[in-house]
Amino acid sequence: MTQLTPVLTRNWDRPDSFTLAGYGDYSAARKALSMDPDTIIQMVKDSGLRGRGGAGFPTGMKWGFIPQNDGKPHYLVVNADESEPGTCKDIPLMMANPHALIEGAIITSYAIRANHAFIYVRGEVLHVIRRLQAAVREAYEAGYLGRNIFGSGYDLELVVHCGAGAYICGEETALLDSLEGRRGQPRLKPPFPAVAGLYACPTVINNVESVATVPSIVANGPEWFASMGTEKSKGFGIFSLSGHVARPGQYEAPLGITLRELLEMAGGIRAGHRLKFWTPGGSSTPIFTEEHLDVPLDFESVAANGSMLGTRAIQIFDETTCVVRAVLRWTEFYAHESCGKCTPCREGTYWLKQVLYRLEKGQGTEEDLATITDIADNILGRSFCALGDGATSSIHSSVKLFRDEYLKHFEIGGCPFDPAASTVWGVK
């Protein structure tokens, strides 16, 4: 069985893990600030680190897009607006190990020649915001932030910014608009943030886990990081197991581990039940079934099997779950969170919700299955940003994999998973 690789989660069980005393003296940042910024960018490129926020874009390459000697200020923005159903790794990371994120922000900002950095946090997670603010305050008091950090001559101001609670602000350009004080809606690209981002200046936007991983790469070397994972998906990551599993939680392991291996560590599916379907990367990724238990959880293998690794938010559902109801709940979320800027997403998610509601109640027809897949086809690739695309993932995959279950709803005139229908569908 593949072993866990606790790096970011190593000290989570310590009662003082979130304090500076429990974290350490920022030795990786001290080392980085004595190096040439371009050398750090090359280290991250050599490590093979790919964005841990969902898209999996090479982190070092993204840093390298920042134009140099352009006479403009540069900015780092950390996307901590975690809010997709099932995605739950960044919030516990910021709660238990905020200084890893702050140290990573120092190194990243130095590498891209930025003197201002922002951590954009979802406003509802007040406990996380307070924890981050306290950690930033500790770093300032220790001289790790502010002017002339470690006597290197490098200055960095770090701001923790609270969003107002909108899933769309997890989209990087909508996040920038929100950070600038406007309504969070995605921008037309190009120009890309690396050229015209925050305040129309070159900006790097990275996920929390991506930035928090950087100090370990600087401290241990790119070869160390690249020795884990697979050929094209290197390193380790936090896998979030939730749902019908014996021991849900965060499992930090090399990319390429399988769900079967993770379930062994997590005590398996809850007693007396079996796996029915699961998401490899949160609700915006096509669902998998029991036959995908041995698919390596890396970017390439998951894509080759028709889904996306995403944020490695693995939601586990056993045989007592109605797949139509689960898809309806996800679709209600996407309809609610649509910013309304583009017609395919604004109208499409609304109509998906209406038709799915009818199907779940057993009031639909087989023609409705063609309707929802047609609506999803008209959203996919036609919406302004990826929110619309994500809303279609569970539609297409569930109809493909569980068509009989959809049909059973209107055959019996209701949900076969309701207690009154249990004898019809054979659910315990």
Side-chain angles (χ1 to χ4, degrees):
M1 183 173 65
T2 303
Q3 297 298 310
L4 295 175
T5 53
V7 177
L8 295 174
T9 59
R10 183 178 63 248
N11 295 326
W12 282 17
D13 58 344
R14 285 185 51 161
D16 64 346
S17 67
F18 58 90
T19 67
L20 190 57
Y23 177 74
D25 63 353
Y26 283 42
S27 58
R30 294 174 189 272
K31 177 181 177 181
L33 265 58
S34 68
M35 301 165 62
D36 180 74
D38 289 332
T39 302
I40 300 172
I41 294 176
Q42 191 59 50
M43 283 182 71
V44 175
K45 287 181 179 179
D46 293 343
S47 73
L49 174 65
R50 295 172 64 171
R52 299 308 197 227
F57 193 83
T59 303
M61 186 181 297
K62 179 181 275 193
W63 294 5
F65 289 155
I66 294 289
Q68 301 302 332
N69 303 315
D70 56 346
K72 294 182 178 181
H74 297 173
Y75 296 102
L76 168 67
V77 176
V78 180
N79 186 346
D81 190 60
E82 181 176 68
S83 50
E84 181 175 310
T87 304
C88 53
K89 62 184 177 63
D90 293 341
I91 285 174
L93 172 57
M94 290 184 287
M95 276 294 289
N97 195 10
H99 284 284
L101 175 58
I102 296 168
E103 184 175 23
I106 295 169
I107 298 169
T108 305
S109 299
Y110 176 72
I112 64 172
R113 281 87 165 178
N115 296 109
H116 288 85
F118 297 85
I119 302 175
Y120 184 101
V121 190
R122 187 170 178 84
E124 289 94 337
V125 289
L126 186 59
H127 55 305
V128 175
I129 293 165
R130 288 171 172 165
R131 178 65 52 87
L132 269 176
Q133 289 173 335
V136 168
R137 186 164 55 248
E138 277 189 307
Y140 268 107
E141 291 171 354
Y144 299 167
L145 287 170
R147 293 189 175 277
N148 193 27
I149 301 173
F150 306 132
S152 64
Y154 175 65
D155 304 335
L156 178 66
E157 300 299 329
L158 178 61
V159 175
V160 177
H161 180 90
C162 307
Y167 174 63
I168 190 62
C169 289
E171 197 279 333
E172 60 180 18
T173 59
L175 185 155
L176 294 178
D177 267 17
S178 176
L179 194 53
E180 291 176 2
R182 295 192 291 274
R183 180 178 180 176
Q185 288 190 325
R187 299 175 181 177
L188 184 64
K189 296 183 285 191
F192 292 94
V195 177
L198 188 65
Y199 309 127
C201 293
T203 304
V204 163
I205 306 166
N206 282 146
N207 173 259
V208 168
E209 189 184 352
S210 306
V211 174
T213 301
V214 169
S216 65
I217 294 173
V218 171
N220 300 297
E223 298 82 7
W224 165 82
F225 186 83
S227 68
M228 294 175 275
T230 64
E231 182 182 355
K232 295 183 179 179
S233 298
K234 298 185 183 299
F236 51 84
I238 299 175
F239 293 82
S240 307
L241 268 66
S242 63
H244 297 151
V245 61
R247 290 193 296 273
Q250 312 298 330
Y251 293 81
E252 192 174 12
L255 298 188
I257 194 172
T258 66
L259 179 60
R260 189 183 300 277
E261 291 172 315
L262 285 169
L263 284 175
E264 287 178 13
M265 300 179 199
I269 305 299
R270 61 178 180 169
H273 296 278
R274 60 177 177 79
L275 176 65
K276 180 177 180 180
F277 65 98
W278 54 289
T279 64
S283 62
S284 65
T285 60
I287 61 176
F288 275 168
T289 61
E290 197 172 25
E291 68 181 59
H292 300 99
L293 271 170
D294 296 309
V295 172
L297 294 175
D298 59 60
F299 292 102
E300 290 72 33
S301 300
V302 174
N305 282 272
S307 190
M308 297 176 289
L309 186 62
T311 54
R312 304 174 306 287
I314 301 175
Q315 297 170 284
I316 305 292
F317 300 90
D318 66 23
E319 81 286 353
T320 65
T321 307
C322 172
V323 70
V324 182
R325 185 172 296 171
V327 172
L328 170 61
R329 294 293 179 266
W330 289 329
T331 305
E332 286 175 330
F333 169 81
Y334 288 106
H336 179 269
E337 294 295 335
S338 174
C339 73
K341 182 167 186 172
C342 71
T343 303
C345 180
R346 181 185 66 245
E347 300 299 320
T349 54
Y350 170 81
W351 284 108
L352 283 175
K353 181 179 70 172
Q354 301 306 311
V355 180
L356 281 166
Y357 181 81
R358 187 165 69 240
L359 285 168
E360 197 268 336
K361 292 294 183 184
Q363 300 166 357
T365 66
E366 188 167 0
E367 186 181 354
D368 286 331
L369 298 186
T371 299
I372 60 172
T373 52
D374 183 60
I375 294 171
D377 285 337
N378 280 284
I379 299 173
L380 184 62
R382 294 175 173 85
S383 56
F384 201 84
C385 76
L387 186 149
D389 292 349
T392 70
S393 294
S394 62
I395 303 292
H396 281 128
S397 56
S398 65
V399 171
K400 177 183 176 182
L401 296 170
F402 294 97
R403 186 179 185 87
D404 289 346
E405 190 166 314
Y406 276 93
L407 296 176
K408 181 62 70 173
H409 277 72
F410 41 82
E411 283 177 10
I412 67 171
C415 178
F417 290 84
D418 286 338
S422 62
T423 55
V424 178
W425 195 240
V427 178
K428 295 179 181 179

